[in-house]
Amino acid sequence: MTDAAITIEGVSKTFRVFTERNNTLKSALLRRGASAYRDFHALKDVSLEIPQGSTFALVGDNGSGKSTLLKCLARILVPDSGRIERRGRMAAMLEVGSGFHPELSGRDNIYLNGSILGMSKQEVDARFDAIVDFSGVEAFIDQPVKNYSSGMYVRLGFSVAIHTEPEIMLVDEILAVGDATFQEKCAEKFADFRREGRTVVVVSHSLPQLRSMADRAAYLDHGSLRAVGEAGVVLEQYADAARTNIRTDDNGRVRWGTGEAMVDRVEVLGPQGPMTEEGLRTGDRVVLRIHYTAHSRIPDPNLGITMDTAEGEHLWACFSRDQGARLPDLQGPGHVDITIPSLPLQKGQYSVHAGIVGTGPDDVVDFVREIAWLTVGAGSGLDSGGPVSMSARWQVPAAAAVTEGGQS
């Protein structure tokens, strides 16, 4: 018995793209009834398995075939060849407002869409309040959905779909339409799905979002499967198709490069020494110590540190050569320090990535993702939001000072 939620074997799908159509009787006669077209191969012999209980990402550029594959999984499209086997109840959220009638109210559309997705009236009755609460459109639930914004469409449609309690959930790019609060609720729901052993297949162009939620991924390129495996490795390969030797090391970290030298670890040193469980504080002096081992001599090396937020948003990058620092040749084991005089980060978790670059910017010797994490606790002068602390100061000009009587 396989533990795959979905098995895809040799799936291909071709569309006809017409370059000239017979729109008039004259054109039909001149072409003797034949329209000019070319075949577009959206999927080419794709085979993969989607494990049960995984959050599985499909990535690729526009036209790569990922949405076509998702529609084949949802039985909206039928492959020209190959086989797809699904194991479990499935719900799909592929288009904004799919299954909604524009003239009906949100309330009526919950029952309509629920029945399309396989729920009985009694099941919809039991889950109605939860559906409305999750969607956040309770103030408009009795208004026709034709008056809804695209974001309201998404929230209500997605809420109905997830409350069918499917074993397999298919989600297309439409989640990008929702606001930040809704996307956070969706991420929490996907985490619940994973804990419950449900499967989520998601198409998105947001790599930070996928890095935080997906554990497996497939990379499609012009209809062909380029890579499938652990999400970290596949997403990095998609992020820069020119990268080679992308792999996971013994610690499960994603790294790539030629390997003449290796980044062993990054030590985080605060004012009192190595970072403790309590973490650092905003404004602390911090040293990031890059430990390396050079198996062969690396002349004129360029070492670098980059940092992301916990959600995967790129925050900062600093390379020695860009700073004008000339480092000695790397030979054997050693370390290099980079000092941050006053840590400008607010409370939170931040991932640190480190690398060694040779004489050219594309000459990567070794680069390691998430080799260290910064934990920042509460510091002095916290700003009101965002990951950075700008050390801002408020000041009222003397001429604008208000007197005791309220007159200036």
Side-chain angles (χ1 to χ4, degrees), residues 111 119-128:
Y111 283 90
M119 284 194 289
S120 66
K121 183 179 183 301
Q122 290 74 22
E123 288 176 315
V124 178
D125 287 340
R127 302 169 192 170
F128 182 85

Side-chain angles (χ1 to χ4, degrees), residues 302-315:
N302 186 12
L303 272 68
I305 288 280
T306 69
M307 194 178 296
D308 294 345
T309 65
E311 294 74 29
E313 295 288 350
H314 181 56
L315 189 64

Side-chain angles (χ1 to χ4, degrees), residues 394-402:
W394 290 92
Q395 184 177 1
V396 178
V402 179

Side-chain angles (χ1 to χ4, degrees), residues 93-101 109 113 145 150 153-154 157 174:
M93 193 64 189
L94 306 185
E95 295 179 6
V96 174
S98 57
F100 282 3
H101 192 294
N109 269 296
N113 203 228
V145 297
S150 59
Y153 255 95
V154 167
I174 50 120

Side-chain angles (χ1 to χ4, degrees), residues 57-61 66 173 176 183 202-220 230-241 243 246 256 308-314 353 369-370:
L58 295 175
V59 296
D61 293 337
K66 56 189 184 298
E173 195 74 57
Q183 291 186 28
V202 58
V203 167
S204 176
H205 285 99
S206 174
L207 292 185
Q209 185 183 60
L210 294 179
R211 286 191 182 108
S212 66
M213 64 185 291
D215 45 37
R216 303 282 293 177
Y219 168 24
L220 293 169
E230 294 182 18
V233 176
V234 175
L235 294 178
E236 287 302 324
Q237 187 167 345
Y238 168 59
D240 188 347
R243 290 177 186 164
I246 299 177
W256 62 90
D308 294 345
T309 65
E311 294 74 29
E313 295 288 350
H314 181 56
H353 325 296
R369 286 190 59 85
E370 297 182 1

Side-chain angles (χ1 to χ4, degrees), residues 13-328:
K13 183 67 180 177
T14 301
F15 298 98
R16 283 186 175 182
V17 179
F18 288 89
T19 55
E20 293 180 344
R21 284 185 177 272
N22 294 325
N23 295 321
T24 65
L25 177 61
K26 179 180 178 181
S27 64
L29 291 173
L30 289 173
R31 296 194 189 98
R32 297 182 180 180
S35 294
Y37 64 87
R38 62 181 177 84
D39 287 335
F40 174 70
H41 300 284
L43 295 172
K44 305 172 186 175
D45 194 26
V46 174
S47 296
L48 59 93
E49 285 193 342
I50 298 176
Q52 183 178 347
S54 66
T55 300
F56 195 96
L58 295 175
V59 296
D61 293 337
N62 291 331
S64 63
K66 56 189 184 298
S67 290
T68 299
L69 180 57
L70 204 65
K71 289 178 180 178
C72 289
L73 299 182
R75 297 188 176 95
I76 294 172
L77 295 176
V78 178
D80 297 331
S81 60
R83 182 181 71 92
I84 298 176
E85 185 176 351
R86 311 157 188 86
R87 301 173 183 89
R89 183 176 181 177
M90 186 170 60
M93 193 64 189
L94 306 185
E95 295 179 6
V96 174
S98 57
F100 282 3
H101 192 294
E103 300 295 334
L104 297 180
S105 68
R107 181 184 302 274
D108 292 336
N109 269 296
I110 288 175
Y111 283 90
L112 173 63
N113 203 228
S115 65
I116 291 173
L117 293 173
M119 284 194 289
S120 66
K121 183 179 183 301
Q122 290 74 22
E123 288 176 315
V124 178
D125 287 340
R127 302 169 192 170
F128 182 85
D129 290 342
I131 292 171
V132 174
D133 180 65
F134 188 93
S135 70
V137 300
E138 58 271 16
F140 308 94
I141 198 62
D142 290 310
Q143 297 296 316
V145 297
K146 68 180 181 181
N147 298 328
Y148 284 15
S149 68
S150 59
M152 293 166 67
Y153 255 95
V154 167
R155 294 200 301 272
L156 187 58
F158 183 78
S159 184
V160 175
I162 62 171
H163 283 89
T164 63
E165 298 185 355
E167 278 103 11
I168 302 170
M169 182 75 180
L170 309 179
V171 185
D172 207 343
E173 195 74 57
I174 50 120
L175 288 186
V177 181
D179 57 25
T181 302
F182 177 68
Q183 291 186 28
E184 185 176 345
K185 290 171 71 173
C186 291
E188 292 173 357
K189 196 66 179 179
F190 289 151
D192 289 342
F193 276 8
R194 183 183 298 179
R195 286 190 290 269
E196 295 166 1
R198 304 178 193 272
T199 306
V200 177
V201 184
V202 58
V203 167
S204 176
H205 285 99
S206 174
L207 292 185
Q209 185 183 60
L210 294 179
R211 286 191 182 108
S212 66
M213 64 185 291
D215 45 37
R216 303 282 293 177
Y219 168 24
L220 293 169
D221 181 27
H222 293 89
S224 297
L225 184 65
R226 283 279 300 273
V228 61
E230 294 182 18
V233 176
V234 175
L235 294 178
E236 287 302 324
Q237 187 167 345
Y238 168 59
D240 188 347
R243 290 177 186 164
T244 58
N245 299 321
I246 299 177
R247 62 198 184 280
T248 54
D249 61 18
D250 294 337
N251 297 310
R253 298 175 302 215
V254 176
R255 69 193 310 153
W256 62 90
T258 54
E260 289 90 351
M262 306 289 283
V263 178
D264 299 322
R265 60 191 176 99
V266 170
E267 191 177 5
V268 181
L269 304 173
Q272 309 303 322
M275 184 179 67
T276 63
E277 291 184 1
E278 288 73 23
L280 306 166
R281 295 173 64 87
T282 304
D284 278 352
R285 181 180 183 274
V286 177
V287 174
L288 301 176
R289 179 164 292 169
I290 305 174
H291 294 266
Y292 64 83
T293 300
H295 306 297
S296 59
R297 178 173 166 272
I298 308 295
D300 191 24
N302 186 12
L303 272 68
I305 288 280
T306 69
M307 194 178 296
D308 294 345
T309 65
E311 294 74 29
E313 295 288 350
H314 181 56
L315 189 64
W316 175 65
C318 184
F319 282 78
S320 57
R321 193 173 295 155
D322 295 340
Q323 294 277 314
R326 305 297 297 203
L327 303 180

